[in-house]
């Protein structure tokens, strides 16, 4: 059942702004974004000319904090619990930690009746010991569910499983969480469902309102954590990303109109270095529309996939750094953006080496630090983006 179509505040605001903008042009210069493209190897001369110089070696967490922003990264138990040098660098650079996998259903729920918090607890304690914030990912998803899920969960017991999971997990970490990705990737217009909702057992069993239910249950157990709707595929000037932005805005407007306790949109931001269909103005308008709903914005899973770039690591690093700079210059211009997390910190530990490996089998180079934890130009690009960002 599709939720009701709303004449959203956004459309009314736009109508109003359209009237005012005539005056606006007279009263003050509008910020005009040049038609930038996320750097790609087709702009080699542009990438070779770009300047990524930053002053000093102040860690990213401190540069972000000086502007009222939070910087951190996804970390996982296998890497952080075994690699002392990495643990040290992570604590140095990151002001927030999100477990890459340890708070997902497939890790937390080895069986329908057992919760295993051991790895999540280790990461929570690591964050606390190193004066880092801690965020959870994710309470509700339609992918990578535990093996038993399909056999056990059905129309009759789905609500019980959803409510019990969210309640148990948020109560376990109450008081420790900066924020939770309550629902992850609930939109996919390609699936043909009403309102662009993604196929999901939760949608099948509970209908479109499973999303609102999830947020209400999470707020009941942890009234302090920021509750986030997390989504990917929102950044490019492509028909697919435009459709996703439209559907996400509609979902957020619907949730807000129902008084749902939702506080932020999480934008995953897995950038494809070879993608050039990037229109800063369109992305900036989307960010303003989200902010106009009274929501904050978190960049939750930033990295730059270099799978289709030339082999030369020097050129790759420049292109990756250019993509970081192009993207962050837009998202940090929106003061509702409160945090930037990269999906990993070092090329030694990235999902991309497994899920988006290169055909030439060269080591992938998507993250701010290389495999020996040394800063690359991508680190410079993120550092300079924080240095240039407006203070919150
Ligand atoms: O821990 C087991 C290991 O014991 C076993 O030997 C191995 C066999 O394959 O699997 C290991 O678990 C894997 C886990 O990553 C740790 O490496 C899971 O199979 C694998 O599915 C899991 O992939 C994660 C994926 O989400 C699915 O949960 C990636 O690491 C993680 O980076 C990725 O992150 C997602 C976000 O959650 C949502 N947004 C997109 C993002 C990238 O896909």
């Amino acid at each position: 059942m599709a939720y009701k179509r709303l004449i959203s505040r956004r459309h009314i605001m736009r109508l109003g702004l359209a009237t005012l903008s005539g005056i606006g042009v007279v009263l003050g210069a509008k910020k005009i974004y040049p038609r930038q493209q996320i750097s790609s190897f087709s702009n080699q001369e542009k990438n070779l000319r770009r300047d990524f110089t930053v002053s000093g070696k102040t860690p990213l967490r401190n540069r972000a904090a000086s502007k009222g922003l939070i910087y951190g990264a996804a970390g996982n138990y296998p890497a952080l619990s075994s690699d002392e040098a990495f643990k040290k660098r992570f604590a140095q650079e990151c002001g927030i930690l999100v477990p890459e996998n340890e708070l997902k259903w497939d890790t937390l729920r080895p069986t329908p009746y057992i919760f295993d918090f051991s790895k999540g607890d280790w990461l929570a304690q690591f964050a606390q010991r190193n004066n880092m914030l801690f965020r959870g990912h994710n309470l509700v998803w339609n992918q990578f569910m535990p093996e038993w899920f399909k056999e056990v969960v059905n129309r009759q017991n789905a609500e019980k499983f959803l409510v019990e999971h969210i309640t148990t997990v948020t109560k376990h970490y109450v008081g420790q969480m900066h924020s939770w990705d309550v629902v992850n990737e609930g939109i996919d217009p390609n699936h043909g469902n009403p309102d662009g909702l993604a196929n999901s057992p939760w949608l099948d069993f509970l209908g479109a309102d499973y999303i609102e239910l999830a947020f209400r249950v999470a707020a009941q157990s942890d009234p302090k954590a920021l509750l986030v709707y997390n989504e990917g595929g929102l950044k490019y000037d492509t028909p697919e990303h435009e459709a996703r932005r439209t559907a996400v805005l509609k979902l957020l407007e619907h949730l807000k109109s129902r008084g749902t306790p939702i506080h932020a949109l999480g934008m995953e931001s897995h950038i494809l270095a070879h993608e050039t269909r990037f229109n800063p103005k369109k992305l900036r308008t989307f960010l303003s529309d989200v902010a106009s709903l009274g929501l904050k914005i978190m960049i939750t899973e930033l990295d730059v996939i270099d799978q289709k770039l030339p082999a030369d690591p020097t050129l790759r690093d420049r292109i990756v750094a250019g993509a970081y700079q192009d993207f962050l210059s837009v998202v940090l211009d929106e003061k509702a953006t409160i945090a930037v997390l990269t999906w990993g910190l070092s090329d030694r530990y990235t999902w991309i080496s497994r899920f988006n490996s290169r055909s030439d089998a060269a080591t992938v180079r998507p993250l701010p630090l290389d495999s020996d934890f040394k800063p690359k130009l991508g680190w410079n690009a993120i550092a300079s983006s924080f240095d240039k960002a407006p203070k919150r």
Side-chain angles (χ1 to χ4, degrees), residues 129-145:
R129 275 200 310 275
N130 291 283
N131 191 26
M132 272 180 232
L133 297 169
F134 191 55
R135 75 179 309 263
H137 169 84
N138 52 64
L139 295 169
V140 182
W141 197 7
N142 55 11
Q143 297 180 55
F144 300 95
M145 296 301 274

Side-chain angles (χ1 to χ4, degrees), residues 78 100-101 104 106 137-138 141 144 184-185 230 268 270 301 343 351 354-355:
E100 185 173 3
N101 297 303
K104 293 173 180 173
D106 60 349
H137 169 84
N138 52 64
W141 197 7
F144 300 95
N184 188 51
E185 301 175 9
N230 194 51
E268 293 185 6
H270 295 289
E301 306 183 14
W343 201 243
W351 68 288
R354 185 170 161 206
F355 287 77

Side-chain angles (χ1 to χ4, degrees), residues 132-190:
M132 272 180 232
L133 297 169
F134 191 55
R135 75 179 309 263
H137 169 84
N138 52 64
L139 295 169
V140 182
W141 197 7
N142 55 11
Q143 297 180 55
F144 300 95
M145 296 301 274
E147 288 300 316
W148 54 264
F149 187 86
K150 276 202 175 69
E151 318 309 316
V152 173
V153 181
N154 55 46
R155 195 173 301 281
Q156 287 65 44
N157 65 20
E159 182 165 342
K160 172 187 153 304
F161 267 94
L162 184 70
V163 172
E164 178 197 52
H165 181 83
I166 297 173
T167 305
T168 307
V169 177
T170 48
K171 280 196 169 151
H172 182 84
Y173 289 108
V174 69
Q176 302 179 62
M177 304 310 277
H178 166 268
S179 51
W180 271 105
D181 287 339
V182 175
V183 174
N184 188 51
E185 301 175 9
I187 290 285
D188 190 334
N190 294 329

Side-chain angles (χ1 to χ4, degrees), residues 29-336:
K30 285 192 226 171
K31 179 147 196 172
I32 308 291
Y33 283 99
R35 183 172 166 72
Q36 259 174 321
Q37 285 184 331
I38 278 202
S39 313
S40 76
F41 55 89
S42 63
N43 299 343
Q44 282 191 26
E45 64 297 334
K46 176 182 166 191
N47 289 306
L48 294 175
R49 274 201 321 271
R50 289 180 83 138
D51 175 17
F52 297 109
T53 316
V54 283
S55 60
K57 292 194 172 7
T58 304
L60 296 178
R61 67 182 290 177
N62 304 89
R63 291 175 193 260
S66 72
K67 297 298 180 73
L69 284 159
I70 302 165
Y71 169 76
N76 62 56
Y77 175 79
L80 287 170
S81 62
S82 62
D83 186 331
E84 283 308 314
F86 181 56
K87 193 191 283 186
K88 196 159 159 275
R89 283 299 270 123
F90 197 99
Q92 208 175 25
E93 293 288 348
C94 297
I96 190 168
L97 161 64
V98 59
E100 185 173 3
N101 297 303
E102 291 75 8
L103 297 183
K104 293 173 180 173
W105 278 65
D106 60 349
T107 306
L108 283 179
R109 316 268 317 253
T111 79
Y113 312 104
I114 293 175
F115 284 84
D116 176 1
F117 290 110
S118 58
K119 297 189 173 71
D121 291 353
W122 188 95
L123 290 166
Q125 287 147 26
F126 169 70
Q128 196 186 26
R129 275 200 310 275
N130 291 283
N131 191 26
M132 272 180 232
L133 297 169
F134 191 55
R135 75 179 309 263
H137 169 84
N138 52 64
L139 295 169
V140 182
W141 197 7
N142 55 11
Q143 297 180 55
F144 300 95
M145 296 301 274
E147 288 300 316
W148 54 264
F149 187 86
K150 276 202 175 69
E151 318 309 316
V152 173
V153 181
N154 55 46
R155 195 173 301 281
Q156 287 65 44
N157 65 20
E159 182 165 342
K160 172 187 153 304
F161 267 94
L162 184 70
V163 172
E164 178 197 52
H165 181 83
I166 297 173
T167 305
T168 307
V169 177
T170 48
K171 280 196 169 151
H172 182 84
Y173 289 108
V174 69
Q176 302 179 62
M177 304 310 277
H178 166 268
S179 51
W180 271 105
D181 287 339
V182 175
V183 174
N184 188 51
E185 301 175 9
I187 290 285
D188 190 334
N190 294 329
H191 290 173
N193 297 313
D195 301 314
L197 293 178
N199 292 332
S200 160
W202 305 113
L203 179 64
D204 295 342
F205 295 146
L206 301 175
D209 291 340
Y210 83 90
I211 297 175
E212 178 181 341
L213 173 65
F215 277 91
R216 290 189 184 284
V217 175
Q220 250 169 357
S221 316
D222 187 343
K224 289 220 172 61
L226 284 180
L227 302 180
V228 183
Y229 173 77
N230 194 51
E231 190 59 78
L234 299 170
K235 55 198 167 295
Y236 290 129
D237 186 11
T238 61
E240 185 182 358
H241 281 207
E242 186 59 32
R244 298 174 72 88
R245 287 191 288 268
T246 303
V248 162
L249 272 176
K250 210 166 117 204
L251 171 64
L252 296 176
E253 285 167 351
H254 168 72
L255 292 171
K256 289 295 283 182
S257 73
R258 303 257 313 159
T260 309
I262 176 171
H263 310 110
L265 168 67
M267 294 179 65
E268 293 185 6
S269 312
H270 295 289
I271 293 174
L272 298 172
H274 61 278
E275 176 57 72
T276 59
R277 292 169 294 176
F278 175 66
N279 180 326
K281 208 159 169 297
K282 279 193 179 174
L283 177 60
R284 187 68 188 81
T285 302
F286 173 69
L287 298 170
S288 302
D289 287 344
V290 173
S292 71
L293 295 173
L295 293 172
K296 296 299 183 190
I297 294 160
M298 295 181 70
I299 305 303
T300 51
E301 306 183 14
L302 180 63
D303 48 25
V304 181
I305 296 168
D306 64 345
Q307 187 181 46
K308 294 198 168 39
L309 293 188
D312 171 16
T314 309
L315 177 56
R316 264 198 276 161
D317 285 357
R318 296 197 70 79
I319 294 169
V320 166
Y324 277 125
Q325 206 164 57
D326 290 346
F327 180 72
L328 288 174
S329 66
V330 178
V331 297
L332 294 178
D333 185 62
E334 170 51 66
K335 288 197 174 178

